[in-house]
Amino acid sequence: MAETLTDYEQLAADALPQHIYDFVAGGSGSETTLSRNRAALDAITLTPRMLAGVAEPDLSCTLLGLQSTMPVAVAPMAYQRLLHPEGELLLASAAATAGIPFVISTLSSFPLEKIAACGPTWFQLYWLRDRALITSLVDRAAEAGCGALLVTVDVPVMGRRLRDVRNSFALPPDVVAANIVDMVTEAHSAVPGLSAVAAHTASAFEPAVSWDDLEWLRRTTQLPLVVKGILDPRDARRVIDLGADGVVVSNHGGRQFDGAPASIDALGPVVDAVGNDCTVLLDSGVRSGLDVLRALALGASGVLVGRPLLWALAVDAVDEALGLLRQEVWDAMLLAGCADLAAVGELTTGRA
Ligand code: FNR
């Protein structure tokens, strides 16, 4: 039984083969950004308010047009069948039961249409070299009822994830990128001293993706468009000026550019640059209800949670994990004297 979201990591570590645990847990390079995410979140203080007269805080919000029971969505994460035979279908159904959005990865291991049928979803797009494939994925996502498009821009190439290199990590035969099955399958071919998923990314993803491409995407789709992987306030401003609806302040959970700042440290300047008329989500290192409050107090509209939900998936505990997170947000709001999320945004923040 888990008492906090972080407890699922050890339970999953006991249940999973080492190379799969490492693929999920790992970051890039010497994992400095990975550990910085946690250190920076832990350093944020929130000053609680007293005598607020609150017994039942209101956690609900609207995120990119979707009603959500709390300011949390499930981060897009590839290949969830690595963790559980029902993968994305199980986690998306749990998100629907919990009343929060689920983000479908381009590299999901079930077809996006099957996942979208489980509940409210957004679709995450990777910039593939094949433009026709991008158009077809965007059309399929809209057709399947995904409520928004999150385009991830921090993977021109995959960060060098040394755990995967050391493990010569490759996908098992039964785990495929179900949305793009016709594509090259080198992700399955183990090569000593290489990560096969990194090799696949290198051949499938367009490294030279640019602002022109983003403008094209904005013109191509009517869906709300959010750009994931933004850290610099100048990039954030430009994304919004170009007509996008929001940004995800993210360093990809420390898996891409090692040396990047913690997302939570990048958040404030981004919020200052874009103002209040767009959606600013945050991910990377969120592990508790308290972290959710920290992000909102620093100006986020909501957060994406990644690895803890994959750990819970591995031990068949996704409903429990989402229930635990909701309880933590509730408790933190009561202790901080917040009747609703607007009050969380008014809390005084500091750095310990
Ligand atoms: C990811 N992430 C990711 N992001 C994305 O845009 N598309 C994807 O397919 C994936 N795949 C993926 C797989 C795995 C195993 C992990 C751990 C992460 C990044 C993800 O969306 C998110 O940015 C981070 O996971 C957030 O950090 P935490 O919560 O895991 O610390």
Side-chain angles (χ1 to χ4, degrees), residues 211-231:
W211 291 103
D212 289 345
D213 297 310
L214 188 62
E215 267 184 61
W216 169 82
L217 184 64
R218 179 60 297 184
R219 288 197 304 277
T220 302
T221 179
Q222 307 289 317
L223 287 172
L225 178 65
V226 173
V227 179
K228 176 173 180 282
I230 294 294
L231 293 167

Side-chain angles (χ1 to χ4, degrees), residues 76-78 105 124 126 152 228 252-253 283-285 287 306-307:
M77 288 176 288
S105 166
Q124 176 269 326
Y126 272 133
T152 300
K228 176 173 180 282
H252 215 104
D283 77 21
S284 300
R287 297 292 177 268
R307 293 181 185 84

Side-chain angles (χ1 to χ4, degrees), residues 18 60 69 82 109 137 143 151 196 207 240 256 261 310:
Q18 184 69 35
S60 67
T69 55
L82 286 171
S109 47
L137 284 170
E143 186 71 19
V151 57
I240 301 306
Q256 283 302 108
L310 293 187

Side-chain angles (χ1 to χ4, degrees), residues 23-26 34 37 75-78 105-107 124 126 152 154 228 250-255 283-287 304-308 310:
F23 170 67
V24 174
L34 176 67
N37 282 329
M77 288 176 288
S105 166
T106 292
L107 301 175
Q124 176 269 326
Y126 272 133
T152 300
D154 58 6
K228 176 173 180 282
S250 168
N251 56 36
H252 215 104
R255 292 163 79 80
D283 77 21
S284 300
V286 173
R287 297 292 177 268
L304 307 181
V305 176
R307 293 181 185 84
L310 293 187

